[in-house]
Short mmCIF file of all heavy atoms in Angstrom, two decimals:
data_model
loop_
_atom_site.label_atom_id
_atom_site.label_comp_id
_atom_site.label_asym_id
_atom_site.label_seq_id
_atom_site.Cartn_x
_atom_site.Cartn_y
_atom_site.Cartn_z
N MET A 1425 17.48 -12.11 1.34
CA MET A 1425 17.10 -10.92 0.62
C MET A 1425 18.07 -9.77 0.92
O MET A 1425 18.42 -9.63 2.09
CB MET A 1425 15.66 -10.53 0.94
CG MET A 1425 15.18 -9.26 0.21
SD MET A 1425 13.48 -8.77 0.54
CE MET A 1425 12.53 -10.02 -0.16
N ASN A 1426 18.39 -9.12 -0.04
CA ASN A 1426 19.29 -7.94 0.10
C ASN A 1426 18.67 -6.86 1.08
O ASN A 1426 17.49 -6.67 1.05
CB ASN A 1426 19.46 -7.30 -1.32
CG ASN A 1426 20.49 -6.13 -1.31
OD1 ASN A 1426 20.77 -5.56 -0.24
ND2 ASN A 1426 20.90 -5.81 -2.49
N ALA A 1427 19.49 -6.36 1.96
CA ALA A 1427 18.95 -5.37 2.93
C ALA A 1427 18.34 -4.11 2.25
O ALA A 1427 17.35 -3.59 2.72
CB ALA A 1427 20.10 -4.93 3.96
N THR A 1428 18.98 -3.68 1.20
CA THR A 1428 18.47 -2.48 0.49
C THR A 1428 17.05 -2.76 -0.10
O THR A 1428 16.14 -2.01 -0.06
CB THR A 1428 19.43 -2.04 -0.58
OG1 THR A 1428 20.72 -1.81 0.02
CG2 THR A 1428 18.98 -0.80 -1.29
N LEU A 1429 16.96 -3.92 -0.72
CA LEU A 1429 15.63 -4.30 -1.34
C LEU A 1429 14.59 -4.50 -0.23
O LEU A 1429 13.49 -4.05 -0.38
CB LEU A 1429 15.86 -5.70 -2.06
CG LEU A 1429 14.52 -6.26 -2.67
CD1 LEU A 1429 13.96 -5.26 -3.69
CD2 LEU A 1429 14.85 -7.54 -3.37
N ARG A 1430 14.96 -5.08 0.86
CA ARG A 1430 14.04 -5.23 1.94
C ARG A 1430 13.51 -3.83 2.51
O ARG A 1430 12.40 -3.61 2.80
CB ARG A 1430 14.59 -6.08 3.07
CG ARG A 1430 13.60 -6.44 4.13
CD ARG A 1430 14.12 -7.57 5.05
NE ARG A 1430 13.09 -7.98 5.86
CZ ARG A 1430 12.73 -7.36 7.01
NH1 ARG A 1430 13.46 -6.39 7.51
NH2 ARG A 1430 11.75 -7.80 7.76
N THR A 1431 14.55 -2.89 2.65
CA THR A 1431 14.18 -1.59 3.13
C THR A 1431 13.26 -0.85 2.11
O THR A 1431 12.25 -0.25 2.51
CB THR A 1431 15.42 -0.72 3.34
OG1 THR A 1431 16.20 -1.42 4.28
CG2 THR A 1431 15.09 0.67 3.79
N THR A 1432 13.56 -1.07 0.80
CA THR A 1432 12.73 -0.39 -0.24
C THR A 1432 11.29 -0.96 -0.19
O THR A 1432 10.33 -0.24 -0.27
CB THR A 1432 13.37 -0.60 -1.59
OG1 THR A 1432 14.66 -0.09 -1.60
CG2 THR A 1432 12.56 0.02 -2.68
N LEU A 1433 11.23 -2.31 -0.06
CA LEU A 1433 9.84 -2.94 0.05
C LEU A 1433 9.10 -2.48 1.22
O LEU A 1433 7.86 -2.24 1.21
CB LEU A 1433 9.97 -4.49 0.03
CG LEU A 1433 10.22 -5.18 -1.29
CD1 LEU A 1433 10.43 -6.61 -1.11
CD2 LEU A 1433 9.04 -4.97 -2.21
N GLY A 1434 9.79 -2.25 2.32
CA GLY A 1434 9.11 -1.76 3.53
C GLY A 1434 8.59 -0.31 3.33
O GLY A 1434 7.42 -0.04 3.69
N TRP A 1435 9.35 0.49 2.73
CA TRP A 1435 8.90 1.88 2.40
C TRP A 1435 7.75 1.89 1.40
O TRP A 1435 6.76 2.64 1.58
CB TRP A 1435 10.04 2.73 1.93
CG TRP A 1435 10.82 3.27 3.08
CD1 TRP A 1435 12.03 2.84 3.51
CD2 TRP A 1435 10.50 4.40 3.88
NE1 TRP A 1435 12.43 3.58 4.60
CE2 TRP A 1435 11.54 4.58 4.85
CE3 TRP A 1435 9.40 5.24 3.96
CZ2 TRP A 1435 11.51 5.54 5.80
CZ3 TRP A 1435 9.38 6.26 4.94
CH2 TRP A 1435 10.39 6.38 5.78
N VAL A 1436 7.92 1.09 0.37
CA VAL A 1436 6.78 1.02 -0.73
C VAL A 1436 5.52 0.55 0.02
O VAL A 1436 4.39 1.09 -0.26
CB VAL A 1436 7.29 0.13 -1.81
CG1 VAL A 1436 6.09 -0.12 -2.74
CG2 VAL A 1436 8.37 0.77 -2.61
N SER A 1437 5.60 -0.48 0.84
CA SER A 1437 4.42 -1.02 1.50
C SER A 1437 3.77 0.12 2.38
O SER A 1437 2.55 0.30 2.37
CB SER A 1437 4.85 -2.19 2.37
OG SER A 1437 3.75 -2.63 3.10
N ALA A 1438 4.58 0.79 3.15
CA ALA A 1438 4.10 1.74 4.13
C ALA A 1438 3.40 2.93 3.37
O ALA A 1438 2.31 3.40 3.69
CB ALA A 1438 5.19 2.30 4.98
N VAL A 1439 4.11 3.44 2.35
CA VAL A 1439 3.52 4.58 1.64
C VAL A 1439 2.25 4.15 0.82
O VAL A 1439 1.25 4.92 0.96
CB VAL A 1439 4.60 5.09 0.65
CG1 VAL A 1439 4.01 6.15 -0.33
CG2 VAL A 1439 5.80 5.76 1.41
N THR A 1440 2.26 3.08 0.18
CA THR A 1440 1.05 2.71 -0.64
C THR A 1440 -0.11 2.27 0.37
O THR A 1440 -1.26 2.68 -0.03
CB THR A 1440 1.35 1.46 -1.51
OG1 THR A 1440 1.86 0.41 -0.83
CG2 THR A 1440 2.26 1.94 -2.69
N LEU A 1441 0.15 1.73 1.47
CA LEU A 1441 -1.01 1.48 2.42
C LEU A 1441 -1.51 2.76 2.96
O LEU A 1441 -2.73 2.91 3.03
CB LEU A 1441 -0.50 0.60 3.56
CG LEU A 1441 -0.44 -0.91 3.23
CD1 LEU A 1441 0.27 -1.63 4.41
CD2 LEU A 1441 -1.81 -1.44 2.98
N ASN A 1442 -0.63 3.68 3.32
CA ASN A 1442 -1.14 4.92 3.92
C ASN A 1442 -1.87 5.80 2.83
O ASN A 1442 -2.96 6.30 3.10
CB ASN A 1442 0.07 5.78 4.47
CG ASN A 1442 0.51 5.20 5.81
OD1 ASN A 1442 -0.36 4.89 6.63
ND2 ASN A 1442 1.73 5.15 6.04
N VAL A 1443 -1.34 5.93 1.68
CA VAL A 1443 -1.99 6.74 0.62
C VAL A 1443 -3.25 6.00 0.13
O VAL A 1443 -4.32 6.70 -0.04
CB VAL A 1443 -1.00 6.96 -0.59
CG1 VAL A 1443 -1.79 7.60 -1.68
CG2 VAL A 1443 0.17 7.87 -0.19
N GLY A 1444 -3.23 4.66 0.07
CA GLY A 1444 -4.43 3.93 -0.31
C GLY A 1444 -5.55 4.10 0.72
O GLY A 1444 -6.70 4.33 0.39
N ALA A 1445 -5.17 4.05 2.02
CA ALA A 1445 -6.30 4.26 3.09
C ALA A 1445 -6.77 5.66 2.99
O ALA A 1445 -8.02 5.82 3.14
CB ALA A 1445 -5.63 3.98 4.42
N LEU A 1446 -5.90 6.66 2.79
CA LEU A 1446 -6.39 7.97 2.65
C LEU A 1446 -7.32 8.21 1.42
O LEU A 1446 -8.40 8.77 1.58
CB LEU A 1446 -5.21 9.01 2.49
CG LEU A 1446 -5.49 10.47 2.34
CD1 LEU A 1446 -6.14 11.06 3.56
CD2 LEU A 1446 -4.31 11.26 1.92
N LEU A 1447 -6.94 7.62 0.31
CA LEU A 1447 -7.85 7.69 -0.89
C LEU A 1447 -9.13 6.93 -0.66
O LEU A 1447 -10.16 7.37 -1.15
CB LEU A 1447 -7.10 7.13 -2.04
CG LEU A 1447 -5.95 8.05 -2.62
CD1 LEU A 1447 -5.31 7.38 -3.80
CD2 LEU A 1447 -6.52 9.37 -3.09
N PHE A 1448 -9.09 5.83 0.06
CA PHE A 1448 -10.28 5.06 0.36
C PHE A 1448 -11.25 5.93 1.14
O PHE A 1448 -12.45 5.97 0.83
CB PHE A 1448 -9.94 3.84 1.10
CG PHE A 1448 -11.16 2.91 1.45
CD1 PHE A 1448 -11.73 2.20 0.51
CD2 PHE A 1448 -11.58 2.99 2.80
CE1 PHE A 1448 -12.78 1.41 0.83
CE2 PHE A 1448 -12.75 2.19 3.07
CZ PHE A 1448 -13.27 1.36 2.12
N VAL A 1449 -10.74 6.62 2.21
CA VAL A 1449 -11.62 7.37 3.05
C VAL A 1449 -12.15 8.64 2.26
O VAL A 1449 -13.30 8.98 2.32
CB VAL A 1449 -10.87 7.91 4.28
CG1 VAL A 1449 -11.62 8.97 5.04
CG2 VAL A 1449 -10.57 6.75 5.21
N VAL A 1450 -11.28 9.28 1.43
CA VAL A 1450 -11.73 10.33 0.52
C VAL A 1450 -12.84 9.89 -0.38
O VAL A 1450 -13.76 10.57 -0.64
CB VAL A 1450 -10.55 10.95 -0.11
CG1 VAL A 1450 -10.97 11.94 -1.24
CG2 VAL A 1450 -9.63 11.73 0.87
N GLY A 1451 -12.61 8.66 -0.94
CA GLY A 1451 -13.54 8.15 -1.93
C GLY A 1451 -14.94 7.87 -1.23
O GLY A 1451 -15.97 7.96 -1.92
N LEU A 1452 -14.91 7.49 0.06
CA LEU A 1452 -16.17 7.32 0.74
C LEU A 1452 -16.87 8.68 1.06
O LEU A 1452 -18.08 8.79 1.08
CB LEU A 1452 -15.94 6.63 2.08
CG LEU A 1452 -15.55 5.17 2.00
CD1 LEU A 1452 -15.24 4.65 3.41
CD2 LEU A 1452 -16.61 4.35 1.41
N LEU A 1453 -16.08 9.74 1.31
CA LEU A 1453 -16.64 10.96 1.69
C LEU A 1453 -17.06 11.83 0.49
O LEU A 1453 -18.10 12.52 0.61
CB LEU A 1453 -15.63 11.79 2.52
CG LEU A 1453 -15.23 11.18 3.83
CD1 LEU A 1453 -14.16 11.97 4.49
CD2 LEU A 1453 -16.49 11.05 4.79
N LEU A 1454 -16.34 11.83 -0.60
CA LEU A 1454 -16.67 12.66 -1.70
C LEU A 1454 -17.80 11.95 -2.53
O LEU A 1454 -17.83 10.74 -2.68
CB LEU A 1454 -15.42 12.85 -2.62
CG LEU A 1454 -14.34 13.77 -2.04
CD1 LEU A 1454 -13.21 13.82 -2.99
CD2 LEU A 1454 -14.91 15.08 -1.68
N PRO A 1455 -18.59 12.78 -3.22
CA PRO A 1455 -19.59 12.22 -4.10
C PRO A 1455 -18.92 11.58 -5.36
O PRO A 1455 -17.92 12.13 -5.78
CB PRO A 1455 -20.44 13.42 -4.44
CG PRO A 1455 -19.66 14.57 -4.23
CD PRO A 1455 -18.71 14.24 -3.13
N ARG A 1456 -19.52 10.56 -5.87
CA ARG A 1456 -18.96 9.92 -7.05
C ARG A 1456 -19.22 10.77 -8.28
O ARG A 1456 -20.30 11.26 -8.52
CB ARG A 1456 -19.54 8.49 -7.18
CG ARG A 1456 -19.14 7.64 -6.10
CD ARG A 1456 -19.73 6.28 -6.16
NE ARG A 1456 -19.37 5.30 -5.17
CZ ARG A 1456 -19.24 5.54 -3.83
NH1 ARG A 1456 -19.49 6.67 -3.32
NH2 ARG A 1456 -18.96 4.50 -3.04
N THR A 1457 -18.18 10.91 -9.13
CA THR A 1457 -18.32 11.73 -10.34
C THR A 1457 -18.42 10.92 -11.58
O THR A 1457 -18.76 11.37 -12.67
CB THR A 1457 -17.11 12.64 -10.50
OG1 THR A 1457 -15.92 11.85 -10.53
CG2 THR A 1457 -17.06 13.64 -9.34
N GLY A 1458 -18.16 9.57 -11.47
CA GLY A 1458 -18.36 8.71 -12.67
C GLY A 1458 -17.08 8.82 -13.62
O GLY A 1458 -17.31 8.60 -14.84
N GLY A 1459 -15.98 9.25 -13.12
CA GLY A 1459 -14.84 9.33 -14.01
C GLY A 1459 -14.24 8.06 -14.37
O GLY A 1459 -14.81 6.97 -14.14
N ASP A 1460 -13.09 8.14 -15.06
CA ASP A 1460 -12.39 6.88 -15.47
C ASP A 1460 -12.01 5.96 -14.37
O ASP A 1460 -12.12 4.78 -14.40
CB ASP A 1460 -11.21 7.23 -16.40
CG ASP A 1460 -11.66 7.81 -17.76
OD1 ASP A 1460 -12.83 7.58 -18.16
OD2 ASP A 1460 -10.85 8.49 -18.33
N ALA A 1461 -11.33 6.61 -13.34
CA ALA A 1461 -10.82 5.82 -12.23
C ALA A 1461 -11.38 6.37 -10.97
O ALA A 1461 -10.87 7.45 -10.47
CB ALA A 1461 -9.26 5.78 -12.25
N PRO A 1462 -12.43 5.79 -10.37
CA PRO A 1462 -12.99 6.40 -9.10
C PRO A 1462 -11.94 6.34 -7.98
O PRO A 1462 -11.11 5.40 -7.89
CB PRO A 1462 -14.16 5.48 -8.82
CG PRO A 1462 -14.11 4.36 -9.73
CD PRO A 1462 -13.11 4.62 -10.81
N VAL A 1463 -12.02 7.35 -7.16
CA VAL A 1463 -10.99 7.50 -6.05
C VAL A 1463 -11.08 6.26 -5.11
O VAL A 1463 -10.09 5.77 -4.69
CB VAL A 1463 -11.32 8.80 -5.25
CG1 VAL A 1463 -10.42 8.92 -4.08
CG2 VAL A 1463 -11.16 9.94 -6.19
N LEU A 1464 -12.31 5.78 -4.91
CA LEU A 1464 -12.46 4.66 -3.97
C LEU A 1464 -11.74 3.39 -4.59
O LEU A 1464 -11.04 2.67 -3.82
CB LEU A 1464 -13.92 4.34 -3.83
CG LEU A 1464 -14.37 3.28 -2.78
CD1 LEU A 1464 -13.88 3.76 -1.39
CD2 LEU A 1464 -15.80 3.08 -2.77
N GLY A 1465 -11.88 3.19 -5.88
CA GLY A 1465 -11.23 2.04 -6.49
C GLY A 1465 -9.73 2.18 -6.50
O GLY A 1465 -9.01 1.17 -6.32
N VAL A 1466 -9.22 3.37 -6.76
CA VAL A 1466 -7.78 3.56 -6.70
C VAL A 1466 -7.21 3.36 -5.29
O VAL A 1466 -6.15 2.74 -5.10
CB VAL A 1466 -7.42 5.03 -7.21
CG1 VAL A 1466 -5.98 5.31 -7.01
CG2 VAL A 1466 -7.78 5.17 -8.67
N GLY A 1467 -8.00 3.81 -4.28
CA GLY A 1467 -7.55 3.54 -2.90
C GLY A 1467 -7.51 2.09 -2.57
O GLY A 1467 -6.61 1.69 -1.97
N VAL A 1468 -8.49 1.34 -3.02
CA VAL A 1468 -8.51 -0.11 -2.72
C VAL A 1468 -7.26 -0.75 -3.46
O VAL A 1468 -6.66 -1.61 -2.85
CB VAL A 1468 -9.85 -0.71 -3.10
CG1 VAL A 1468 -9.79 -2.24 -3.12
CG2 VAL A 1468 -10.95 -0.20 -2.21
N GLY A 1469 -7.07 -0.35 -4.75
CA GLY A 1469 -6.03 -0.89 -5.53
C GLY A 1469 -4.68 -0.58 -4.85
O GLY A 1469 -3.75 -1.49 -4.75
N MET A 1470 -4.47 0.59 -4.26
CA MET A 1470 -3.19 0.90 -3.65
C MET A 1470 -3.00 0.16 -2.38
O MET A 1470 -1.92 -0.28 -2.02
CB MET A 1470 -3.13 2.43 -3.43
CG MET A 1470 -2.86 3.19 -4.69
SD MET A 1470 -2.49 4.92 -4.39
CE MET A 1470 -0.84 4.79 -3.81
N CYS A 1471 -4.19 -0.10 -1.60
CA CYS A 1471 -4.07 -0.90 -0.44
C CYS A 1471 -3.59 -2.36 -0.77
O CYS A 1471 -2.80 -2.94 -0.07
CB CYS A 1471 -5.38 -0.87 0.30
SG CYS A 1471 -5.67 0.60 1.22
N VAL A 1472 -4.13 -2.87 -1.83
CA VAL A 1472 -3.75 -4.27 -2.23
C VAL A 1472 -2.28 -4.27 -2.64
O VAL A 1472 -1.57 -5.27 -2.22
CB VAL A 1472 -4.70 -4.71 -3.43
CG1 VAL A 1472 -4.14 -6.03 -4.05
CG2 VAL A 1472 -6.08 -4.85 -2.98
N VAL A 1473 -1.83 -3.22 -3.34
CA VAL A 1473 -0.43 -3.26 -3.71
C VAL A 1473 0.47 -3.08 -2.49
O VAL A 1473 1.47 -3.76 -2.35
CB VAL A 1473 -0.10 -2.07 -4.68
CG1 VAL A 1473 1.36 -1.82 -4.78
CG2 VAL A 1473 -0.80 -2.33 -6.04
N GLY A 1474 -0.02 -2.31 -1.48
CA GLY A 1474 0.74 -2.22 -0.19
C GLY A 1474 0.78 -3.52 0.47
O GLY A 1474 1.78 -3.86 1.15
N LEU A 1475 -0.38 -4.23 0.58
CA LEU A 1475 -0.37 -5.55 1.21
C LEU A 1475 0.55 -6.55 0.55
O LEU A 1475 1.24 -7.36 1.22
CB LEU A 1475 -1.82 -6.07 1.20
CG LEU A 1475 -2.71 -5.37 2.18
CD1 LEU A 1475 -4.16 -5.91 2.04
CD2 LEU A 1475 -2.27 -5.52 3.59
N VAL A 1476 0.61 -6.56 -0.76
CA VAL A 1476 1.45 -7.49 -1.49
C VAL A 1476 2.91 -7.11 -1.19
O VAL A 1476 3.78 -8.06 -0.86
CB VAL A 1476 1.22 -7.40 -3.00
CG1 VAL A 1476 2.30 -8.13 -3.79
CG2 VAL A 1476 -0.10 -8.01 -3.27
N ALA A 1477 3.28 -5.82 -1.23
CA ALA A 1477 4.66 -5.41 -0.89
C ALA A 1477 5.00 -5.72 0.50
O ALA A 1477 6.10 -6.13 0.85
CB ALA A 1477 4.86 -3.89 -1.19
N GLY A 1478 4.03 -5.52 1.49
CA GLY A 1478 4.28 -5.93 2.80
C GLY A 1478 4.45 -7.40 3.01
O GLY A 1478 5.30 -7.82 3.86
N GLY A 1479 3.74 -8.19 2.31
CA GLY A 1479 3.92 -9.66 2.32
C GLY A 1479 5.31 -10.04 1.86
O GLY A 1479 6.01 -10.89 2.47
N CYS A 1480 5.79 -9.45 0.79
CA CYS A 1480 7.14 -9.72 0.35
C CYS A 1480 8.19 -9.27 1.34
O CYS A 1480 9.20 -9.89 1.60
CB CYS A 1480 7.41 -9.03 -1.06
SG CYS A 1480 6.38 -9.69 -2.32
N TRP A 1481 7.87 -8.14 1.96
CA TRP A 1481 8.83 -7.64 2.98
C TRP A 1481 8.92 -8.55 4.15
O TRP A 1481 10.00 -8.84 4.67
CB TRP A 1481 8.31 -6.22 3.40
CG TRP A 1481 9.10 -5.58 4.48
CD1 TRP A 1481 10.33 -5.01 4.38
CD2 TRP A 1481 8.74 -5.46 5.90
NE1 TRP A 1481 10.79 -4.53 5.57
CE2 TRP A 1481 9.80 -4.78 6.56
CE3 TRP A 1481 7.64 -5.81 6.59
CZ2 TRP A 1481 9.70 -4.45 7.90
CZ3 TRP A 1481 7.58 -5.52 7.93
CH2 TRP A 1481 8.64 -4.84 8.55
N LEU A 1482 7.83 -9.06 4.58
CA LEU A 1482 7.76 -10.00 5.78
C LEU A 1482 8.44 -11.33 5.33
O LEU A 1482 9.16 -11.94 6.16
CB LEU A 1482 6.38 -10.23 6.20
CG LEU A 1482 5.81 -9.15 7.07
CD1 LEU A 1482 4.31 -9.47 7.35
CD2 LEU A 1482 6.53 -8.97 8.35
N ALA A 1483 8.21 -11.73 4.17
CA ALA A 1483 8.79 -13.03 3.63
C ALA A 1483 10.33 -13.00 3.55
O ALA A 1483 10.98 -13.96 3.70
CB ALA A 1483 8.18 -13.41 2.32
N GLY A 1484 10.82 -11.69 3.31
CA GLY A 1484 12.25 -11.63 3.18
C GLY A 1484 12.99 -11.34 4.41
O GLY A 1484 14.23 -11.12 4.38
N ARG A 1485 12.35 -11.37 5.58
CA ARG A 1485 13.07 -11.08 6.79
C ARG A 1485 13.95 -12.24 7.17
O ARG A 1485 13.67 -13.37 6.91
CB ARG A 1485 12.04 -10.76 7.95
CG ARG A 1485 11.31 -12.00 8.42
CD ARG A 1485 10.27 -11.62 9.53
NE ARG A 1485 9.68 -12.72 10.14
CZ ARG A 1485 8.69 -13.40 9.67
NH1 ARG A 1485 8.20 -13.11 8.53
NH2 ARG A 1485 8.19 -14.44 10.39
N PRO A 1486 15.01 -11.92 7.72
CA PRO A 1486 15.96 -13.03 8.17
C PRO A 1486 15.33 -13.93 9.24
O PRO A 1486 14.67 -13.49 10.19
CB PRO A 1486 17.14 -12.32 8.76
CG PRO A 1486 16.80 -10.87 8.88
CD PRO A 1486 15.57 -10.65 8.14
N HIS A 1487 15.47 -15.25 9.03
CA HIS A 1487 15.00 -16.20 10.03
C HIS A 1487 16.09 -16.47 11.09
O HIS A 1487 17.17 -16.83 10.75
CB HIS A 1487 14.55 -17.50 9.40
CG HIS A 1487 13.49 -17.26 8.30
ND1 HIS A 1487 12.13 -17.00 8.60
CD2 HIS A 1487 13.56 -17.20 6.94
CE1 HIS A 1487 11.49 -16.82 7.57
NE2 HIS A 1487 12.28 -16.94 6.51
N VAL A 1488 15.65 -16.42 12.32
CA VAL A 1488 16.62 -16.62 13.43
C VAL A 1488 16.36 -17.90 14.08
O VAL A 1488 15.33 -18.35 14.28
CB VAL A 1488 16.56 -15.44 14.45
CG1 VAL A 1488 17.52 -15.73 15.55
CG2 VAL A 1488 16.82 -14.10 13.75
#
């Protein structure tokens, strides 16, 4: 895997996991408003995207 692509996947994974975890906690703390996209669901979705990007990042590491 290209080093630039691997670096980008690492950053995308880190950012989406951190923002997703933050939104998950905020979604637990704030009362539900019944909008189109609840904060809790968006947080879980971002965590899943971060886990997928992290899995691709780990799969692309050089094997020694």
